[in-house]
Structures are given as structure tokens and as C-alpha cells.
Amino acid sequence: MKKLPLFAKFTVSSLVSAGVDFLFFFLVQKTLENSGHSMTNSIIAATVSARFLSTAVNFLINKFWSFESQQNGTRQVILFTFLFLGKMGASAALVSFLAFLPVPAVTLKIIVDTLLFFVSFIIQKHFIF
């Protein structure tokens, strides 16, 4: 079987993580809503828990499959956490900053997050794994 190029593996990892994020969000949000929690509380809890789970999945797939890293896992977890927080902050800040443009916010988010995807690949390749 032909080995996938690094960037293709990174892309697959991101897609799997996005799938985990959406699926877990859906399951948690519906479970909480059906058990009597408010819509707002169920959305917040589902968003946070799904994002943490999908980030852990993304880290593990990238470490062991995408980048096939044998380096210190503790250092990598710390750096990956900073990257995760930085990407989240950069996404919110850039989408908010660009909100003056006559473009729907979701379109801005897609553009910004796509750019951050490439930045994340470079940072993970050169500094984390």
C-alpha cells in the first residue's frame, strides 16, 4: 500500500477530528437538551466538551500517524495546547476584525480557519512534532 504524503495525512487527521467534534457536539447537546437543560447551557457544554475531545483525537492522530513522532509527549502536549488556544483566539479575533466587510461571518470564518489550517500544519511540522 502506498504511503500517504504528510500533508494528506494531516488533512485526514483534521477531517476525522472535525467529524468527532460535530458528532460529539450533536450527541452531548441533544442528550443535555432532552434531560431538561436549557438550549444555551446544552450548546455551551456540548461545544466545550466536543472541542476538547476532538483536539485530543487530533493530537493523537497527528503524533502517532501523521507525523509519526517519537519525541517527548509532554512537551508536545504543552505546545499543542498553546497552538490550540492560539488558533481559537486568532480565529475569533480575525473573524471579528474582518466583520466590517460585506461578507457573511460564516464565510469569513471559513476563510480565516482555512488559513489557520495551513499555519497550524507548518507550526506542527516544524515546532511540535
Side-chain angles (χ1 to χ4, degrees), residues 8-22 58 61 117:
K9 290 166 82 173
F10 181 80
T11 302
V12 168
S13 171
S14 295
L15 293 172
V16 167
S17 299
V20 167
D21 188 79
F22 287 116
N58 186 255
I61 294 172
F117 169 79

Side-chain angles (χ1 to χ4, degrees), residues 63-80:
K63 177 173 176 52
F64 295 109
W65 184 65
S66 300
F67 295 98
E68 300 176 15
S69 175
Q70 303 297 318
Q71 296 177 15
N72 181 326
T74 302
R75 177 188 163 278
Q76 291 172 332
V77 167
I78 292 167
L79 293 174
F80 196 85

Side-chain angles (χ1 to χ4, degrees), residues 30-110:
K30 286 299 177 195
T31 300
L32 291 175
E33 185 181 4
N34 290 339
S35 66
H37 291 80
S38 72
M39 178 70 81
T40 301
N41 288 344
S42 66
I43 288 172
I44 291 169
T47 299
V48 171
S49 59
R51 188 54 46 100
F52 276 104
L53 178 63
S54 67
T55 298
V57 167
N58 186 255
F59 173 81
L60 293 170
I61 294 172
N62 281 341
K63 177 173 176 52
F64 295 109
W65 184 65
S66 300
F67 295 98
E68 300 176 15
S69 175
Q70 303 297 318
Q71 296 177 15
N72 181 326
T74 302
R75 177 188 163 278
Q76 291 172 332
V77 167
I78 292 167
L79 293 174
F80 196 85
T81 300
F82 281 117
L83 176 62
F84 162 71
L85 295 172
K87 278 179 17 185
M88 189 168 40
S91 177
L94 289 169
V95 172
S96 296
F97 175 75
L98 296 172
F100 72 90
L101 296 171
V103 178
V106 71
T107 302
L108 293 173
K109 180 159 176 54
I110 290 169

